[in-house]
Each structure stands twice: as structure tokens, then as C-alpha cells.
Amino acid sequence: MHKRRTLAPKPTTSQDFASDDDEYDDVSCQKCASGDSPAELLLCDKCDRGYHLFCLSPILASVPKGSWFCPTCSNHKKLKSFPLVQTKIVDFFRIQRPADSQTDLMLENRKKRRRAGSLVLSRKRRKLLPFNPIADPARRLEQMASLATALTATGTDYSNELTYMRGMAPRSANCASLEHGGMQVLPKEDVETLNLCRSMMGRGEWPPLMVVFDPREGFTVEADRFIKDLTIITEYTGDVDYLRNREHDEGDSMMTLLSATSPSKSLVICPDKRGNIARFINGINNHTSDGRKKQNLKCVRFNVNGECRVLLIANRDISKGERLYYDYNGYEHEYPTKHFV
């Protein structure tokens, strides 16, 4: 599935093949000067210089689709921040604003639900918690602007729900009963908590998260305040498609949605065109103990009213400023993470 990028095709004759092989043998990485790991060595489509996937900043998990240009040839411009203008941010995220009185009522109802839940927590299973937005509206605008910057830079439209596009899997294909071995049903109270999170975001009450750009990791997500264990961080969203249509897709953000008994019915979430903050949360290097210690989220697939949904949930308390990570290989063990930082 992961293949080495080659030079752009040129007219060749039978006499040229031997010299072509010799040319590939001479390719080395411009960063580490090694020709090792040739399957992970990219060739720039402009200058023909080589770079290991794991030597780039940020590293690449797989060979990108289409043409690829090295840092020198791509002439990367400075990242352009999304305008910190309330009207632009409201329009970008399509935020609906209720009247102040309605907002106060909803906040009070949420507080009552939390108090009621705390009384029975010790006698029942541990419930999922809604995220706790920062009270300062100006800071919430900064959080939203950070996500808008990342989405704009990657050419992604914002969507906080699964999308079903013509030519891909229809919504009727998302049937949790097809899951191989069954799927955990999200309890009614947790469904209400998930819906509360969605409605809060629709009003601009944003989860306390900041998207930042790291030279080594690319876009990544940090906690902007203390987050409790079992807090719903986000739902993984994007276009839903059949796995069979994406078997040769080299995108590095696909997420398993449905692992069906019949492989032809398995589904994946593809956030390359539409998505939310989930696509910028990075994975751990699960080949090292230090990498595994970074994990502070778990990725869980649930049956929600008969449909498959994927949630990212805090699996321990998370401190302010801590970056968010989960295990990309929570279900399968196919994702290459050995070079993750």
C-alpha cells in the first residue's frame, strides 16, 4: 500500500533499464545522507533529490498522492492565520446564536444535569462527560481561529458530522449491526452528552482546544485548560466511503468506521475534503514506551441509534498545554508509527 515515489516517466528504451536501476541505487536522503530504507525515500518531482518520509519536518506517514516537491522546491510561504474577527469566525463555523436568556437557561440545565449525575456516579458505571468551554469569549474565538487556520491551510471544509457524498457510501450503508463481532452501544445518557457537546459547538461554546503548528509534527492539538478523564473531546467526522474504494488511497487521516463481516461493506471516514479538529490530533509512536506514555485519548467506535460513530475520549486527566495523542492502531495494527515523535 505504501510505495516509493519514482521520477516522472521519461521515454526509455531497453538499453536504458540498467542505467535507471543504477541511478536509483545512488539516491540518498538530503537530510541524513543515507540511502537506507529505499521504500520510504521520496524523490522530488522537480529537482529529483531524495528525502526519507521520516526525515521531513513534519514527517509523512505515507507517500502523498500526486506530485510531491521537496521543501526547497515547494517554496512554502509563512502560515497565514485566520482573521481573529468574530463575524468571519461565526460564518466559517456556521454558528447559531440563541438569545441571551435561552443561553442562560441551557447553561443552568446543564449544571443541574451535572449535579444529578454526580450523585449516582459511585453506584453506576462511569459516564462520559461533556467538554467544559472556557468562559472568556475572546479566548474561544482564538481557539476557533486556530482550527480555521489549520482547515484553510489544508484545503478542508469544516464539518462537525459525518457526510455522505454522491458516488461514495450512502447513509443506509452505515449500519452498526453489520460490525464484525458486534459494536458497543452508546448508552442513552451518553448519547445525550454527545448531543449536548454538538449543540454547544453549534452555539460557539467551543471545546478548550488549540490547534498549533509544530515543525516536526505539523498541525497538532493542545489542551487549553484542564480536561477531566472521560471527557468527550470530539467526534471523528468526514466523508463516509467504502473501504474497497480507498484501498489504494494514501491519505494519512482515514479512520475505520465499520469493520463488517463482509469486507465489501466495511466503511472508513475520509476527512481530507470535509472534517473537524479530529484530523489534527496526532498518534503515538506505539513502538516505544515513551511514545505510549503520551497517549491521553482513546478512540472508540460506538453504535449510536443504529449507526456507527467514532469518538475521541480522554482516557485520563489532561493538563493545560498538554498535546493530545491517541493510538492510531487501536483496532488494526497496520498504521506505520515507528517514526512518530
Side-chain angles (χ1 to χ4, degrees):
M1 191 168 181
H2 303 287
K3 60 180 182 294
R4 172 181 173 178
R5 176 174 296 281
T6 61
L7 297 173
K10 299 178 182 178
T12 59
T13 64
S14 58
Q15 290 90 353
D16 293 329
F17 292 145
S19 60
D20 285 347
D21 291 339
D22 293 339
E23 182 180 0
Y24 286 125
D25 290 339
D26 292 338
V27 174
S28 60
C29 176
Q30 296 296 304
K31 294 286 188 180
C32 68
S34 169
D36 294 343
S37 303
E40 298 179 277
L41 193 59
L42 290 173
L43 295 183
C44 175
D45 285 309
K46 184 174 182 180
C47 70
D48 293 341
R49 293 188 178 93
Y51 292 82
H52 283 121
L53 293 170
F54 48 84
C55 288
L56 292 166
S57 296
I59 65 172
L60 296 179
S62 61
V63 176
K65 293 189 295 183
S67 298
W68 178 82
F69 301 101
C70 70
T72 301
C73 295
S74 60
N75 295 320
H76 281 310
K77 297 180 180 179
K78 184 178 180 182
L79 186 66
K80 185 178 180 181
S81 297
F82 194 86
L84 194 60
V85 178
Q86 182 172 344
T87 54
K88 291 183 178 294
I89 292 173
V90 167
D91 290 342
F92 186 91
F93 292 107
R94 301 182 292 278
I95 292 172
Q96 302 296 319
R97 292 189 166 194
D100 291 342
S101 58
Q102 290 177 301
T103 302
D104 294 340
L105 178 61
M106 285 183 284
L107 288 172
E108 182 59 28
N109 287 339
R110 190 164 79 241
K111 291 177 182 177
K112 290 179 180 178
R113 282 195 291 271
R114 285 179 183 171
R115 285 196 294 268
S118 64
L119 296 176
V120 296
L121 189 60
S122 61
R123 297 198 300 267
K124 293 186 177 180
R125 64 168 188 85
R126 300 175 71 194
K127 301 175 185 176
L128 298 184
L129 303 175
F131 59 78
N132 188 11
I134 285 179
D136 182 7
R139 187 59 177 174
R140 291 207 303 269
L141 283 179
E142 292 180 35
Q143 294 165 353
M144 288 186 275
S146 73
L147 175 56
T149 295
L151 291 170
T152 302
T154 55
T156 308
D157 291 335
Y158 173 71
S159 175
N160 203 36
E161 59 187 9
L162 296 176
T163 45
Y164 300 88
M165 308 302 293
R166 185 183 298 274
M168 299 186 189
R171 184 164 187 170
S172 58
N174 185 358
C175 183
S177 62
L178 298 176
E179 173 71 19
H180 177 66
M183 179 179 288
Q184 181 178 351
V185 176
L186 190 66
K188 180 180 178 181
E189 290 173 301
D190 289 342
V191 172
E192 292 176 353
T193 300
L194 176 61
N195 290 336
L196 172 61
C197 291
R198 292 170 61 86
S199 64
M200 284 194 293
M201 293 185 70
R203 301 192 298 268
E205 296 178 52
W206 216 247
L209 307 171
M210 290 288 286
V211 183
V212 298
F213 185 82
D214 181 278
R216 296 186 66 196
E217 297 184 65
F219 287 110
T220 187
V221 180
E222 294 181 351
D224 204 29
R225 74 177 307 169
F226 174 79
I227 297 175
K228 291 183 178 180
D229 184 17
L230 289 180
T231 295
I232 295 177
I233 302 298
T234 184
E235 179 177 357
Y236 206 98
T237 66
D239 295 337
V240 178
D241 201 0
Y242 290 108
L243 175 61
R244 65 174 185 263
N245 295 341
R246 301 281 179 156
E247 286 181 334
H248 301 291
D249 191 324
E250 293 165 336
D252 61 356
S253 298
M254 281 194 299
M255 170 68 71
T256 299
L257 177 64
L258 170 64
S259 183
T261 303
S262 173
S264 64
K265 297 181 179 180
S266 293
L267 302 176
V268 291
I269 304 171
C270 309
D272 52 329
K273 298 286 194 304
R274 281 157 286 274
N276 61 4
I277 200 168
R279 68 161 297 180
F280 301 113
I281 299 177
N282 287 334
I284 61 168
N285 180 338
N286 51 18
H287 293 265
T288 67
S289 58
D290 287 342
R292 290 189 290 270
K293 288 177 183 177
K294 286 184 177 181
Q295 182 174 356
N296 47 24
L297 304 183
K298 58 183 177 182
C299 178
V300 188
R301 292 185 293 138
F302 285 107
N303 175 341
V304 181
N305 299 324
E307 292 186 339
C308 306
R309 306 272 283 276
V310 181
L311 303 184
L312 296 181
I313 301 166
N315 67 351
R316 60 171 172 81
D317 289 345
I318 302 173
S319 302
K320 179 180 179 180
E322 189 176 345
R323 290 189 178 176
L324 305 187
Y325 294 95
Y326 67 101
D327 188 352
Y328 282 5
N329 292 314
Y331 293 99
E332 302 88 3
H333 296 278
E334 301 175 349
Y335 200 91
T337 66
K338 63 181 179 180
H339 297 301
F340 282 20
V341 295

